[in-house]
Amino acid sequence: MGHGRAAEGRFGGKYDGGYEESGAPPLAAYHDVDVFGREEGHQIIYKTLSWKMVSVLMIAEIVSNGMLSLPSSLAVVGIVPGLIIIIFLGIFATYTSWLLVKFKLRHPEVHSMGDAGYILFGPVGREVLAFGTIVFAVFATGGQLLAGQIALSALSGGRLCLMLYTGIFTIPTLIFSFPRTLDKLSWLSVPSVISILIAGIVGMIGASLHPAEDRFPLSVTKSSSFYLAFFSITNPVFSYAGHFLFFILISEMKHPQDAMKAAYVLQGFATTFYAVFAVVMYVYLGNSVASPAFSSLETKWAKAAYGIAIPNFLIAGSLYSHTAAKLLFTRFFRNSHHLYSHTVLGWSTWTILIVIMNALAFILAVAVPIFSYLIGIAASLFAAWYTYGLAGAFWLHDSYHDGDGVRTWRRKWVQSSLAIFTVLAGAFICVSGTYVSVRGITEAYRNGLVGEPFAC
């Protein structure tokens, strides 16, 4: 973590004049050196988001199709352990959000995890973390396309080829990801959040009115093998895996110092909604609850829930593909007028990037039979670090360089211990998640559960 000095040089070295105690520059200095700089006279204005709209974007991106797998997790580990995991991960994600926000305010030039990787590990870190962000964003887009495929198939009774449903869903996902600024997507995210909230409520009502006849006995606690238990808890783990977007979101805020307010709203809403939805759906649908849970509902209720959730699947997919394109676009044109002006080169490049990201997501979703397992591998390799592990490394880096090195770690031993625990937790999730995903692939092939590419 020896590259902090280079980043600090952009502020004139050690912060000994006019900077806050946290090491972050005051707001005026922040806007002088962040990725978009002073925007007076720019044709395209990026920094327009309020913390309220950022919270909406965060909820639209994180609270999505992943929650539909939570009831099945409770079926494997039981209600009490499942609830403990969901609530603990919500608290843990709030803590790591706080660490990420502090790091971003301390380093305004950070626009993505790639920029953060440069500060921690140099050029290699930048390329690895930027690559991981793009890969995970494209895979997450593909996951939303598959969710849209399931929703459209349920609504139409499966009359068309599944690949056609995916293609149909890809078109609006591409269109909604096209705006250059997140401000436009933030307004689209309002109905997205409303749709997933109402869809969840409709699903719970449908489950209560038509409970599964074989739902008993329900499991308060349940013992399982490490493989089954960890495979099931990857659902709640990765239901919080949206932190890789945080730097990009904060970079487009009018007042980035308010970013933690958005994170509190996100984690409060997500944790509460996840816990209630998982328990209610499991209690009424029992141990045979499907993943996604809506598929276990009575037909008309499944159609209603899926239909209402479609706007959320669309916008979440658009946010992911927008993120992948935005990272590369900003990397290409940083400090160039093409970033903030209506130029032919700028718009051509942006269009090509958006099309490529959505096309890659579509091809992966329909051409790779084990794609759902690959999403788990990508989440284990990258999202485990972006949401959990790296946050601890950010605190250790800044406290070392802003203070007295190792002496600061010893003096702040509680915070240091938490940061180290965060790094170790990220490593554990990464290794264990990769293991269960790879094992899941081998068992799927062994049991003949893997389909054909481009299958209907």
Side-chain angles (χ1 to χ4, degrees):
M1 294 189 290
H3 294 271
R5 296 293 98 191
E8 292 171 6
R10 299 189 65 175
F11 294 105
K14 195 100 165 133
Y15 303 108
D16 51 10
Y19 290 89
E20 299 173 1
E21 184 179 350
S22 65
L27 191 58
Y30 179 102
H31 288 299
D32 283 333
V33 294
D34 77 341
V35 63
F36 300 116
R38 295 284 178 178
E39 295 191 301
E40 293 85 354
H42 289 186
Q43 294 176 338
I44 300 173
I45 307 298
Y46 290 92
K47 292 182 287 187
T48 59
L49 293 173
S50 66
W51 70 265
K52 300 177 185 68
M53 297 312 294
V54 170
S55 67
V56 171
L57 280 163
M58 289 178 171
I59 293 172
E61 176 248 333
I62 291 179
V63 183
S64 188
N65 66 327
M67 78 170 194
L68 302 182
S69 299
L70 296 179
S72 64
S73 297
L74 268 59
V76 174
V77 300
I79 294 176
V80 172
L83 265 181
I84 291 173
I85 291 169
I86 290 171
I87 294 171
F88 169 76
L89 289 173
I91 295 171
F92 192 21
T94 304
Y95 169 65
T96 57
S97 297
W98 179 70
L99 294 178
L100 263 66
V101 170
K102 282 178 66 70
F103 186 80
K104 168 62 178 173
L105 295 179
R106 171 65 176 74
H107 302 277
E109 71 275 17
V110 168
H111 176 254
S112 68
M113 281 291 177
D115 296 332
Y118 179 78
I119 292 174
L120 291 184
F121 309 115
V124 174
R126 177 176 57 194
E127 303 306 331
V128 170
L129 294 189
F131 174 77
T133 300
I134 294 169
V135 168
F136 184 65
V138 170
F139 274 60
T141 304
Q144 297 296 339
L145 296 183
L146 288 182
Q149 173 203 91
I150 294 171
L152 293 178
S153 179
L155 287 171
S156 66
R159 291 189 179 90
L160 298 178
C161 172
L162 291 178
M163 187 172 64
L164 290 179
Y165 289 124
T166 311
I168 292 170
F169 206 77
T170 302
I171 295 171
T173 300
L174 185 153
I175 293 171
F176 290 146
S177 63
F178 193 74
R180 284 268 286 271
T181 65
L182 285 168
D183 176 63
K184 304 295 189 300
L185 279 170
S186 69
W187 291 105
L188 291 173
S189 295
V190 173
S192 169
V193 172
I194 294 172
S195 78
I196 196 64
L197 175 60
I198 296 177
I201 293 172
V202 168
M204 289 186 283
I205 293 173
S208 67
L209 293 177
H210 300 277
E213 295 180 359
D214 60 346
R215 68 184 186 279
F216 297 113
L218 299 173
S219 301
V220 177
T221 61
K222 195 172 183 179
S223 61
S224 301
S225 66
F226 171 80
Y227 166 70
L228 288 176
F230 196 87
F231 191 83
S232 69
I233 68 172
T234 54
N235 295 325
V237 166
F238 297 130
S239 292
Y240 290 101
H243 288 41
F244 75 107
L245 264 176
F246 280 14
F247 291 149
I248 291 176
L249 291 173
I250 298 171
S251 294
E252 298 194 27
M253 290 185 69
K254 287 184 291 187
H255 303 290
Q257 72 272 22
D258 292 335
M260 202 56 215
K261 296 178 183 177
Y264 285 137
V265 172
L266 161 68
Q267 304 301 350
F269 177 85
T271 304
T272 303
F273 193 42
Y274 285 167
V276 172
F277 180 81
V279 171
V280 171
M281 295 296 281
Y282 173 63
V283 166
Y284 285 110
L285 298 177
N287 293 313
S288 60
V289 61
S291 176
F294 287 165
S295 294
S296 289
L297 297 172
E298 191 269 338
T299 302
K300 66 180 180 181
W301 286 96
K303 288 183 177 181
Y306 275 127
I308 295 170
I310 282 178
N312 176 267
F313 300 159
L314 280 174
I315 299 306
S318 298
L319 277 169
Y320 290 132
S321 57
H322 177 99
T323 297
K326 179 67 72 65
L327 187 154
L328 286 174
F329 185 80
T330 305
R331 178 81 174 270
F332 294 157
F333 296 120
R334 196 164 188 153
N335 301 320
S336 164
H337 73 285
H338 297 292
L339 184 64
Y340 53 78
S341 300
H342 295 295
T343 65
V344 173
L345 178 60
W347 276 108
S348 299
T349 304
W350 177 252
T351 301
I352 291 170
L353 288 173
I354 287 292
V355 171
I356 287 174
M357 298 308 164
N358 285 280
L360 285 174
F362 169 75
I363 292 170
L364 287 168
V366 300
V368 182
I370 57 170
F371 179 64
S372 58
Y373 295 97
L374 294 183
I375 294 175
I377 293 176
S380 300
L381 291 176
F382 299 112
W385 289 110
Y386 298 152
T387 302
Y388 304 107
L390 282 175
F394 294 154
W395 187 89
L396 292 170
H397 173 275
D398 281 357
S399 63
Y400 182 93
H401 286 291
D402 290 341
D404 299 319
V406 176
R407 286 191 293 272
T408 300
W409 293 352
R410 291 172 179 167
R411 187 172 65 254
K412 300 182 178 180
W413 64 272
V414 174
Q415 182 72 312
S416 299
S417 299
L418 284 172
I420 293 170
F421 168 78
T422 301
V423 175
L424 294 176
F428 173 74
I429 294 170
C430 175
V431 174
S432 301
T434 303
Y435 163 73
V436 299
S437 296
V438 171
R439 180 171 169 180
I441 293 173
T442 59
E443 293 195 356
Y445 273 108
R446 185 184 306 123
N447 297 325
L449 300 177
V450 178
E452 297 294 328
F454 302 103
C456 285

